[in-house]
């Protein structure tokens, strides 16, 4: 007798095991929050998600490069114009450098406007002398170091929606209203280069960009008027973790009849929730947004192939981005067999490198941190693995902030171990600060040019 496959619906994930979900203390209040979210306007439009999918398809083919970057966890306390502007500024600066380095369009995707929930390896964490429930993101509870603050509150899903709405609104205004002007972004980069001896390493690179811009102007291109030079698309993304939130913001597109998770343009499935028979894979298999999937050191080629089939059975280009996060030491050993298996299967995936999440360690004084050089080493290992398997290394996925924090070690103006306590502000993982992010972009641009990838 033929076994019929159960039909996908926005709530069909409820019959599978859903890991890392908050335990809401009141089912009635959770239902009220879900109902509220089901009635609000979507944050993004399905047509936008399709545009992003088309750009990612270009990247999968080697004709573009993905820069996916932003906070580990956004904060309800940081909803200000300055905060959003500084992040956008660094992202634009990184993108300009990479566009030149790769001589390709850079698809810019923020971990922004919804990156508010975290899956944690351990259910509890030590804060000072206390053992508390681990922080799971402001969509779930507050970060204060008390056990009351860590009780999940479903109203926070509604607050998360409003936080995302305000963030996205300003992002759209900045990116279309002139803030993203390429000449201006280039000036900011020149300031970075000129403002420290380490930055001056990149002087030649910056002056080449300067010459390219002058060349365009001399050819009669009005750099102030061309819309491509002063408007950009920044797409939103976050880890699709709290399925109550994602389901409630899922809408059927009136043009195609397809379902889209309208909480962001792109969603990714995290390392801890990618079980092929789990609820996250079930939910995301049915929405038509572009998806990311983290691929960590325990992933096997067969498992990754199974996930490609589950998430993209129609083999739609741009639908699936595989984000490798293997660790600098092991990427060259672990990634090639997976790259090969996926390539041989014919799945049209985009490969990107997350050089952050498998390179975290704790210092003796207790700070969770990452070393800049190790982050760069994972990117280099990723490029080498891709080159070995003749796969296009199509993007990077990094955690950064626009502020001058001291959370990761090293970089052009080296942050030292004894300085970590100076401005260690993150709610979760250590982020690259503004200068470290630009340093990374210049080094990556040099790498891409040197290897002529
Ligand atoms: C993250 O991207 O913040 C994250 C937790 O990553 P991963 O699922 O790869 O550990
Ligand atoms: Co993180």
């Amino acid at each position: 007798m033929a076994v019929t496959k159960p039909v996908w619906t926005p709530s069909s994930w409820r019959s599978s095991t859903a890991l890392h979900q908050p335990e809401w203390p009141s089912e009635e209040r959770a239902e009220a929050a879900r109902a509220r979210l089901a009635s609000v306007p979507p944050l993004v439009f399905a047509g936008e998600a399709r545009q992003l999918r088309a750009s990612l398809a270009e990247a999968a083919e080697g004709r573009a490069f993905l820069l996916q970057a932003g906070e580990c966890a956004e904060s309800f306390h940081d909803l200000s114009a300055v905060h959003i502007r500084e992040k956008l500024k660094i992202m634009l600066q990184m993108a300009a450098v990479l566009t030149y380095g790769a001589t390709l369009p850079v698809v810019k995707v923020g971990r922004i406007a919804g990156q508010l929930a975290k899956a944690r390896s351990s259910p509890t964490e030590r804060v000072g002398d206390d053992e508390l429930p681990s922080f799971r993101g402001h969509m779930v509870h507050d970060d204060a170091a008390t056990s009351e603050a860590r009780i999940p509150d479903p109203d926070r899903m509604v607050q998360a929606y409003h936080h995302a709405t305000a963030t996205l609104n300003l992002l759209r205004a900045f990116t279309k209203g002139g803030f993203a002007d390429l000449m201006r972004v280039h000036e900011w980069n020149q300031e970075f280069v000129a403002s420290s001896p380490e930055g001056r390493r990149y002087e030649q690179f910056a002056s080449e960009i300067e010459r390219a811009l002058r060349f365009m102007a001399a050819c009669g291109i009005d750099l102030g008027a061309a819309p491509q030079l002063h408007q950009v698309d920044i797409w939103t993304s976050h880890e699709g973790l709290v399925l109550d939130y994602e389901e409630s913001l899922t809408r059927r597109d009136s043009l195609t009849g397809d379902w889209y998770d309208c909480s962001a343009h792109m969603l990714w499935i995290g390392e801890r929730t990618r079980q092929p028979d789990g609820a996250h894979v079930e939910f995301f298999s049915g929405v038509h947004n572009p998806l990311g999937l983290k691929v960590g050191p325990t992933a096997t080629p067969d498992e990754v192939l199974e996930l490609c089939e589950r998430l993209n059975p129609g083999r739609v280009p741009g639908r699936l981005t595989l984000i490798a996060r293997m660790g600098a030491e092991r990427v060259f050993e672990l990634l090639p067999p997976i790259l090969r298996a996926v390539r041989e299967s014919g799945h049209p995936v985009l490969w990107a490198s997350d050089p952050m999440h498998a390179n975290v360690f704790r210092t003796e004084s207790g700070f969770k941190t990452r070393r800049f050089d190790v982050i760069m080493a994972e990117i280099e290992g990723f490029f080498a693995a891709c080159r070995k398997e003749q796969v296009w290394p199509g993007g990077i996925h990094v955690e950064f902030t626009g502020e001058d924090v001291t959370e990761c070690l090293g970089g052009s103006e080296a942050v030292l171990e004894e300085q970590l306590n100076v401005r260690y502000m993150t709610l979760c993982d250590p982020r690259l600060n503004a200068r470290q992010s630009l340093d990374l972009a210049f080094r990556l641009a040099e790498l891409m040019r040197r290897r002529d990838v």
Side-chain angles (χ1 to χ4, degrees):
M1 204 172 69
V3 181
T4 47
K5 203 170 154 271
V7 182
W8 184 92
T9 68
S11 60
S12 56
W13 62 270
R14 292 180 185 276
S15 13
S16 309
T17 305
L19 298 180
H20 295 278
Q21 299 307 289
E23 284 176 21
W24 306 122
S26 148
E27 178 46 32
E28 205 181 321
R29 285 181 47 229
E31 182 48 35
R34 288 193 291 261
R36 177 83 197 110
L37 288 177
S39 70
V40 295
L43 280 159
V44 305
F45 162 56
E48 295 179 299
R50 283 192 288 274
Q51 272 180 44
L52 172 59
R53 194 174 69 205
S55 299
L56 294 170
E58 287 291 293
E61 288 285 325
R63 291 191 294 268
F65 191 78
L66 167 68
L67 171 62
Q68 189 170 20
E71 301 279 350
C72 180
E74 289 176 281
S75 166
F76 280 3
H77 310 313
D78 278 341
L79 183 60
S80 73
V82 172
H83 189 80
I84 297 165
R85 189 189 66 208
E86 290 309 298
K87 255 189 298 203
L88 174 63
K89 188 175 163 192
I90 298 297
M91 180 117 179
L92 293 171
Q93 288 181 260
M94 293 175 80
V97 171
L98 292 175
T99 305
Y100 188 79
T103 51
L104 287 174
V106 171
V107 185
K108 298 168 267 301
V109 181
R111 290 173 60 113
I112 199 162
Q115 178 53 24
L116 287 155
K118 301 304 298 173
R120 303 301 299 273
S121 311
S122 160
T124 60
E125 65 189 0
R126 267 208 104 64
V127 186
D129 290 337
D130 300 322
E131 193 73 19
L132 294 172
S134 292
F135 176 62
R136 296 186 173 277
H138 278 165
M139 186 189 291
V140 177
H141 55 203
D142 190 30
D143 58 294
T146 65
S147 32
E148 298 77 63
R150 303 285 170 103
I151 298 171
D153 173 359
D155 293 343
R156 284 181 161 260
M157 288 193 287
V158 180
Q159 288 179 52
Y161 165 81
H162 290 296
H163 185 280
T165 307
T167 305
L168 181 54
N169 184 50
L170 192 61
L171 214 53
R172 290 190 194 272
F174 277 145
T175 49
K176 303 297 169 194
F179 181 77
D181 190 290
L182 181 62
M183 293 303 286
R184 188 135 69 128
V185 174
H186 172 58
E187 268 168 39
W188 294 331
N189 275 340
Q190 283 179 313
E191 276 163 33
F192 165 74
V193 168
S195 65
S196 76
E198 293 81 3
R200 284 204 271 283
R201 272 191 56 195
Y202 309 120
E203 223 159 42
Q204 192 194 338
F205 206 94
S207 61
E208 279 179 35
I209 299 180
E210 172 79 21
R211 284 178 69 79
L213 288 170
R214 288 210 208 139
F215 174 72
M216 285 198 289
C219 293
I221 297 170
D222 181 348
L223 299 180
Q228 304 92 315
L229 299 181
H230 71 192
Q231 290 191 357
V232 297
D233 289 320
I234 301 262
W235 309 101
T236 60
S237 73
H238 60 260
E239 177 174 348
L241 182 67
V242 177
L243 293 176
D244 275 340
Y245 181 78
E246 305 304 337
E247 177 192 336
S248 305
L249 286 170
T250 294
R251 307 281 184 267
R252 197 192 271 277
D253 174 32
S254 55
L255 295 178
T256 60
D258 290 335
W259 291 97
Y260 282 82
D261 180 347
C262 295
S263 71
H265 297 112
M266 177 179 184
L267 285 306
W268 77 85
I269 301 174
E271 174 68 0
R272 290 162 194 78
T273 52
R274 62 170 161 75
Q275 303 70 27
D277 58 353
H280 291 81
V281 169
E282 168 63 16
F283 176 75
F284 286 107
S285 70
V287 295
H288 284 67
N289 307 59
L291 298 179
L293 176 74
K294 293 288 194 88
V295 180
T298 59
T300 63
D302 283 349
E303 204 174 33
V304 175
L305 287 183
E306 187 182 352
L307 287 165
C308 290
E309 274 303 314
R310 277 287 274 132
L311 296 170
N312 193 15
R315 304 191 172 207
V316 177
R319 156 76 166 171
L320 189 57
T321 299
L322 298 180
I323 307 165
R325 32 90 83 220
M326 298 292 182
E329 277 180 14
R330 303 193 65 196
V331 59
F332 192 70
E333 165 208 340
L334 296 175
L335 196 54
I338 304 179
L339 293 172
R340 196 176 319 138
V342 176
R343 189 194 65 213
E344 285 171 359
S345 75
H347 268 281
V349 307
L350 164 61
W351 275 103
S353 166
D354 166 356
M356 316 293 287
H357 283 93
N359 296 312
V360 184
F361 70 101
R362 241 176 232 285
T363 63
E364 269 175 31
S365 47
F367 286 104
K368 207 169 150 192
T369 189
R370 297 161 166 150
R371 286 186 200 285
F372 182 87
D373 287 347
V374 174
I375 292 170
M376 278 314 303
E378 175 145 4
I379 296 179
E380 291 191 25
F382 170 77
F383 273 67
C386 288
R387 168 166 280 235
K388 179 163 177 252
E389 294 302 329
Q390 292 158 19
V391 167
W392 167 243
I396 55 160
H397 180 120
V398 293
E399 288 182 345
F400 84 104
T401 170
E403 279 144 49
D404 184 20
V405 299
T406 54
E407 298 170 6
C408 290
L409 296 167
S412 70
E413 256 178 26
V415 172
L416 307 172
E417 205 166 311
E418 55 275 21
Q419 294 170 328
L420 285 177
N421 65 349
V422 179
R423 281 179 62 77
Y424 194 94
M425 321 274 287
T426 187
L427 281 176
C428 195
D429 288 341
R431 303 157 297 175
L432 296 167
N433 65 26
R435 298 188 74 87
Q436 288 167 329
S437 306
L438 294 176
D439 202 356
L440 181 135
F442 274 106
R443 290 211 201 176
L444 176 56
E446 283 181 346
L447 183 72
M448 292 177 93
R449 201 162 56 163
R450 202 164 59 235
R451 305 251 169 123
D452 202 17
V453 286

